[in-house]
Amino acid sequence: MAPQIYKGLKDVYLDTTTASFIDGQEGKLLYRGYNIHDLAEKSTFEEVVYLLLNGKLPTRRELSSFDATLRANRRIPDEVIQVLDLVKASHPMDALRTGISALSAFDPDVNDNSPEATLRKGIRLTAMGPTLVAAHHRLRQGLEPVAPNADLNHAGNFLYMLFGEMPDEETVKLLDVDFILHAEHGANASAFGARVTASTLSDLHSAVVTGVGVLKGPWHGGAAEEVMKMAEDIGQPENAEEYCRKILESGGRIMGFGHRVYKAEDPRARHLRERSKALGEKVGQPKWFQILTYVEENVMVPYRKKGIFVNVDFFAGSIYYLLGIPDDLFIPIFALGRIPGWTLQCLEQYKDNILIRPLLEYTGPMDLQYVPISQRR
Ligand code: CMC
C-alpha cells in the first residue's frame, strides 16, 4: 500500500515546545506564553531573549546581569574579521553563515552540547552576530570594522557598528522592536533545519549555520529583500496593479504574502505596518508605504479568501530601507533577531532528543540491470 505522504510536512506536529504558541487562524503569537503585541510594545529585545532562553521574565537585577553578559560578548576574534575580509564580496547572509562557522573555531564550548554550554554559546552567538554583519558590511565598503560600544543596547550597538556613528533613540527602538518580532517562531523552516542538525547531536554553531542557510531563501527570510525590490520596481502606487497582475498571472507569488501557518494576518505585521507608515512620513518618503498598502488593500484582497495575508516580511524591508540599510542586509537582520529562537529550539531538541529522519517514498525504476561502461550506448 502506498504510504501517506505529508508533502512539505504540512500540518505535521514534530514534537512539543514551550517556546512559542501560534494560532494561525486567529493570527495569535505568544513567546513563552506572552503575547507578541505586549512584548513588541512594552519589552526590549534583551528582555525577550532572557524570556526565551530562561522561560520567565527577568527581574530588574536578572536583566541587568544578562544584558551585561551580552554586552561583554560582542567582540569577535581578529581571525574571524580576517575571514570576513576574505569573503567580503559575498552576500551578507553568506558572510554571516561563514562568520558563524569561523566563530566555532574560537568557542571554548564548541563541542559541548550540555544545556549550560548550549545556553552560553547561544548568548555568545546572539551577542556576536551583529558584530559579524556590521564588520562584513564595513569591510566590503573598504572601511575598518567599528568595535562594539558597551554603552549601547543590542540594537543601538548594531547600528553604531554598521554606520560608524551614534544612532538616534527612535531608530534604535525601531530596530529593537524588529528584533523582538523576529526572535522565535516555532517549527519554521530554519528552526526545523536547526533542530535536524541538533538531532544528530551536532553542535549549536552547526545548527545556527543550518538556520542561516535555510532562512536565506525567498520563501522564508529572503522575502523582505524581495518585497523592497518589488516596491522599487513598481516605483509609483499607480503601477502596482499591473506589476502584480503580471506576476500573479504567470503563476508567480507576491513576496511578503502568505504563510504556512497564518491563515489570518500575521500578528507581527501590524507593528511593522504602523512603523513603516510613521517612518515614511517622518523622512518625507511616504511613497513606499503607499505602494505597499496599495498592493495589500487592492491587488491582494481576493487572496484573503485563500488565507493569504501580509506576513512579517512585507513591511520590514521598507523600514530598513528608510533607515538607510542596504537591501542585502535585510535577511541578516532577520537572522540576528532569530538566533535566540534557534538556540531555544536546539535546547529543546537536545533535552528530549530523537534523530529527525523522515522517509521518502521511492518512485524511480527498480532492479535495473547494471551494464558495464564499455557496453553502454
Ligand atoms: N502570492 C500569491 N499566491 C500565493 C502566495 C503569494 N505570496 N503564497 C501562496 N500563494 C498561493 C499558492 O500559489 C497556492 O496557490 P494554488 O493553491 O492555486 O496552487 C496557494 O496559495 C497555497 O500555497 P502553498 O505554497 O501551498 O502554501 P504554503 O503554506 O506552502 O506557502 C509560503 C507558504 C510562505 C511559502 C508562501 O505563502 C509564499 O511563497 N509566500 C511568498 C514568500 C514569503 O513572503 N515568504 C515569507 C514567509 S513569512 C516569514 C518567514 O517565514 O520568513
Side-chain angles (χ1 to χ4, degrees):
M1 203 176 71
Q4 171 85 37
I5 305 235
Y6 297 94
K7 208 161 162 62
L9 300 180
K10 218 168 185 167
D11 300 328
V12 171
Y13 284 85
L14 125 108
D15 213 324
T16 59
T17 183
T18 61
S20 53
F21 168 81
I22 306 169
D23 182 333
Q25 300 302 325
E26 288 283 317
K28 182 172 181 176
L29 170 63
L30 311 178
Y31 290 171
R32 295 286 202 177
Y34 292 93
N35 197 298
I36 192 65
H37 298 312
D38 285 333
L39 296 172
E41 296 300 339
K42 300 174 191 160
S43 187
T44 62
F45 181 66
E46 287 82 346
E47 186 177 52
V48 166
V49 179
Y50 183 98
L51 167 68
L52 288 171
L53 298 182
N54 295 282
K56 68 182 253 309
L57 285 171
T59 61
R60 209 184 285 274
R61 184 192 288 222
E62 285 164 340
L63 181 58
S64 147
S65 144
F66 182 70
D67 188 20
T69 308
L70 279 173
R71 289 177 196 231
N73 277 289
R74 288 174 179 163
R75 279 187 178 275
I76 57 175
D78 288 345
E79 291 87 338
V80 175
I81 294 190
Q82 286 166 27
V83 171
L84 293 175
D85 195 37
L86 286 172
V87 299
K88 60 175 173 261
S90 63
H91 187 286
M93 200 58 176
D94 298 337
L96 176 62
R97 199 187 54 223
T98 303
I100 290 169
S101 214
L103 282 178
S104 71
F106 303 91
D107 196 299
D109 292 318
V110 68
N111 288 320
D112 184 345
N113 291 341
S114 65
E116 298 76 17
T118 302
L119 199 59
R120 285 196 295 274
K121 287 185 282 187
I123 291 170
R124 282 198 282 273
L125 286 176
T126 301
M128 290 176 185
T131 318
L132 290 173
V133 174
H136 173 256
H137 182 56
R138 304 280 299 177
L139 291 165
R140 69 180 176 153
Q141 296 172 91
L143 300 169
E144 276 296 304
V146 174
N149 182 337
D151 293 336
L152 297 171
N153 72 3
H154 192 76
N157 173 60
F158 174 57
L159 289 162
Y160 169 74
M161 292 188 297
L162 203 58
F163 295 122
E165 52 190 55
M166 283 303 215
D168 66 83
E169 239 174 76
E170 229 175 300
T171 307
V172 173
K173 192 57 211 161
L174 267 174
L175 194 63
D176 183 64
V177 171
D178 184 88
F179 281 152
I180 292 173
L181 296 173
H182 285 98
E184 155 60 27
H185 211 238
N188 58 83
S190 56
F192 177 64
R195 270 186 179 258
V196 172
T197 303
S199 84
T200 69
L201 299 186
S202 185
D203 58 283
L204 186 71
H205 284 76
S206 300
V208 172
V209 165
T210 308
V212 170
V214 177
L215 184 68
K216 187 183 170 196
W219 281 17
H220 195 357
E225 186 176 326
E226 299 301 321
V227 171
M228 202 51 217
K229 279 187 195 147
M230 174 181 79
E232 288 176 278
D233 285 347
I234 291 174
Q236 294 298 334
E238 57 270 25
N239 302 335
E241 187 96 50
E242 202 196 334
Y243 181 93
C244 295
R245 193 173 41 77
K246 276 193 192 144
I247 296 178
L248 293 165
E249 280 176 7
S250 62
R253 294 177 178 205
I254 304 299
M255 295 294 116
F257 277 86
H259 197 278
R260 174 58 66 79
V261 182
Y262 293 120
K263 300 303 165 198
E265 184 177 298
D266 181 334
R268 302 166 296 178
R270 179 199 300 182
H271 301 276
L272 298 172
R273 181 192 287 105
E274 286 164 7
R275 286 169 172 83
S276 164
K277 181 170 194 283
L279 183 62
E281 282 165 6
K282 183 183 155 200
V283 302
Q285 290 192 53
K287 181 175 91 170
W288 306 111
F289 184 75
Q290 287 160 4
I291 292 173
L292 295 178
T293 40
Y294 191 92
V295 173
E296 184 187 11
E297 289 172 7
N298 296 282
V299 183
M300 293 302 284
V301 171
Y303 286 77
R304 291 181 190 169
K305 282 201 297 290
K306 289 173 87 174
I308 297 173
F309 292 80
V310 282
N311 60 49
V312 68
D313 287 327
F314 193 64
F315 291 102
S318 60
I319 294 179
Y320 307 144
Y321 176 88
L322 291 166
L323 294 179
I325 296 174
D327 293 7
D328 60 4
L329 289 180
F330 298 178
I331 330 173
I333 292 175
F334 185 156
L336 298 181
R338 186 54 60 83
I339 294 172
W342 290 328
T343 303
L344 175 51
Q345 296 285 333
C346 290
L347 280 163
E348 287 194 336
Q349 187 64 39
Y350 289 136
K351 192 170 172 197
D352 185 18
N353 193 45
I354 178 167
L355 179 71
I356 300 174
R357 202 292 187 201
L359 295 168
L360 289 169
E361 184 194 9
Y362 177 73
T363 57
M366 302 283 281
D367 303 326
L368 297 177
Q369 178 92 38
Y370 180 85
V371 181
I373 196 162
S374 58
Q375 294 167 28
R376 279 178 224 155
R377 289 194 296 140

